[in-house]
Amino acid sequence: MESLQNTGQPQYDVINQQDLEIKQDTFAKLLKMLDLSVLETLDEHTARQQITEICHQLLNEISRPLNLLSRQKIIKLIIDEVLGLGPLETLLADTTISDILVNNYDSIYVERFGKLEKVPVTFYDNRHLLNIIDRIVSSVGRRIDESSPMVDARLQDGSRVNAIIPPLALDGPCLSIRRFTVDKLTSEQLIAYGSMNKEIGQFINAIVLGKLNVLISGGTGSGKTTLLNILSGFIPENERIITIEDSAELQLQQPHTVRLETRIANIEGKGEVLQRDLVKNSLRMRPDRIVIGEVRGAEAIDMLAAMNTGHEGSLTTLHANNPRDALGRMENMVCMAGFDMPIHNIRSQIASAINVVIQLQRQEDGCRRITSVQEINGMEGDVITMSEIFKFTRTGKDADGNILGDYTATGVIPNFNNQLKLKGINLPNSIFGADFNMANF
């Protein structure tokens, strides 16, 4: 969920072919002179200083003169290669980039302000790209090779990484990085960005404080984790929170937080820990809140069971195109658990467990918006009934391609509003558009 204001074209560390050859030759000589085992024991500043000094000595020995700018670029690229992630360092330093998509060693795209663009940064060849991928995954105790050609990992800053290599990737290694937002967004910022209005912001604050179970639904890159971070920020500091994720991305600031992360199988095929295992274990850890980064499989049945047995105020996300589809996906995931349960019983579990579904969408102007907020009312026959409380109504586009529209309340006062009032959380009927509806009744 980013602002759409462009800050200008960034500068990348791109050098010409002659300077590239000098860089490669200098880098090879540097590796012969450096003791990498000793380098690992040094702090980053000292290591950078040593590498810079050696590089200056080596560059002084070459016959072709180098201008100051070329020299600085070559040294920076060498430092990035030794201490960092090579060409990716330039992109990771750009805070406007939300996704880095390496299709091939010489084809890299980024997402900035919600839109994709190709960048002039490249790796030298597939081997170079594969070395960087191996450095990323090995740093978190995972591996990638022909026997295990797909891997999920994360960078030191928490950014989510997915890599896939041949024989599955036909054109060479492929790398995708979902950036970790260092500066945690707030509901006020989302309102300023046009991702929601102040009434929705007031509402989502209230439902978290009121310990309602919330499901955030949306497509890939629609801002589900960002919104989950914001919702979890409303949880009082005196509550014990257990977070469960495939790859740790949540940025909870509360002091009483326990973070759990799944684990893949080792090289012998043992030691795998699934989200479902962690959900079951979390119930024995005396949680006040359970926050699941994304529910995507059989853990759905255990999550619903937790929500229905006293673990109120749970939060999670799910991939779906609209709130109704989100409930259908939840139903399918419960079936994946292998229980022979009638559909009516599954839907009844969902209807009684989840209170609110928030739908997100990344629209073509690059803005992530909350497009619908719906309450789950209960069951009518075999159908889960829902009431829309807020919605985004699209009205068109402006000359710059930005989507025009309004956030409106439907006039429906949620059934749980009285429950919130009993807990001392008073939402005025006016934020639901109820005063307007009554005046026109």
Side-chain angles (χ1 to χ4, degrees), residues 32-267:
K32 294 178 181 178
M33 298 174 65
L34 278 178
D35 186 340
L36 295 180
S37 61
V38 174
L39 198 67
E40 290 177 353
T41 63
L42 302 176
D43 63 86
E44 185 176 348
H45 176 74
T46 305
R48 284 178 175 271
Q49 198 172 30
Q50 287 197 9
I51 294 171
T52 302
E53 290 174 359
I54 296 173
C55 284
H56 276 302
Q57 295 173 12
L58 294 172
L59 292 175
N60 288 336
E61 295 173 1
I62 64 173
S63 57
R64 191 172 75 85
L66 278 175
N67 61 46
L68 180 61
L69 181 61
S70 293
R71 181 183 287 259
Q72 289 174 338
K73 282 186 176 181
I74 289 172
I75 293 174
K76 181 183 182 303
L77 289 172
I78 291 174
I79 291 174
D80 289 344
E81 202 71 42
V82 176
L83 301 179
L85 300 177
L88 294 178
E89 289 294 327
T90 300
L91 304 178
L92 292 170
D94 187 346
T95 57
T96 65
I97 292 175
S98 56
D99 283 272
I100 301 171
L101 307 170
V102 183
N103 297 337
N104 208 328
Y105 76 91
D106 59 353
S107 176
I108 302 177
Y109 287 78
V110 300
E111 181 186 300
R112 183 185 283 108
F113 309 112
K115 297 183 179 180
L116 289 175
E117 60 182 76
K118 189 171 184 179
V119 292
V121 177
T122 65
F123 292 85
Y124 308 131
D125 51 31
N126 281 331
R127 180 180 293 277
H128 184 208
L129 172 55
L130 190 58
N131 286 340
I132 297 299
I133 291 173
D134 189 59
R135 186 179 301 177
I136 293 172
V137 301
S138 61
S139 68
V140 292
R142 302 193 176 184
R143 75 181 200 283
I144 188 165
D145 50 39
E146 286 191 5
S147 64
S148 180
M150 295 186 296
V151 70
D152 287 315
R154 67 176 184 275
L155 302 181
Q156 287 185 348
D157 67 357
S159 297
R160 184 196 307 166
V161 177
N162 175 270
I164 182 167
I165 65 172
L168 301 185
L170 300 180
D171 298 321
C174 182
L175 181 68
S176 305
I177 300 176
R178 172 69 53 84
R179 294 295 306 281
F180 180 85
T181 306
V182 176
D183 298 323
K184 186 179 177 183
L185 292 177
T186 64
S187 57
E188 289 78 14
Q189 287 175 298
L190 295 197
I191 293 168
Y193 295 162
S195 297
M196 63 182 181
N197 64 3
K198 65 179 182 180
E199 287 78 15
I200 296 177
Q202 189 177 351
F203 176 79
I204 62 175
N205 188 349
I207 61 177
V208 174
L209 288 176
K211 297 193 111 178
L212 299 182
N213 295 321
V214 181
L215 174 63
I216 301 170
S217 167
T220 300
S222 59
K224 296 187 297 299
T225 302
T226 297
L227 184 59
L228 185 60
N229 265 318
I230 290 171
L231 291 180
S232 61
F234 298 139
I235 299 174
E237 291 192 352
N238 62 347
E239 295 188 15
R240 177 174 168 83
I241 307 167
I242 310 293
T243 69
I244 299 168
E245 301 176 85
D246 268 337
S247 182
E249 294 180 89
L250 295 173
Q251 306 172 63
L252 275 65
Q253 305 300 314
Q254 289 86 341
H256 204 167
T257 301
V258 178
R259 304 168 71 213
L260 306 179
E261 187 180 50
T262 61
R263 187 176 72 181
I264 63 169
N266 59 24
I267 197 168

Side-chain angles (χ1 to χ4, degrees), residues 347-400:
R347 291 176 182 172
S348 180
Q349 285 275 313
I350 294 171
S352 60
I354 300 171
N355 302 111
V356 179
V357 180
I358 302 174
Q359 183 67 37
L360 289 164
Q361 185 179 7
R362 179 177 62 173
Q363 299 180 321
E364 58 264 35
D365 62 354
C367 186
R368 281 85 163 165
R369 292 182 173 91
I370 294 178
T371 55
S372 181
V373 179
Q374 300 199 19
E375 176 192 17
I376 295 182
N377 304 117
M379 296 281 293
E380 284 187 7
D382 286 338
V383 178
I384 299 174
T385 58
M386 307 175 73
S387 298
E388 191 165 46
I389 303 169
F390 298 99
K391 63 180 179 178
F392 176 76
T393 303
R394 180 169 169 168
T395 58
K397 277 187 177 182
D398 65 15
D400 297 323

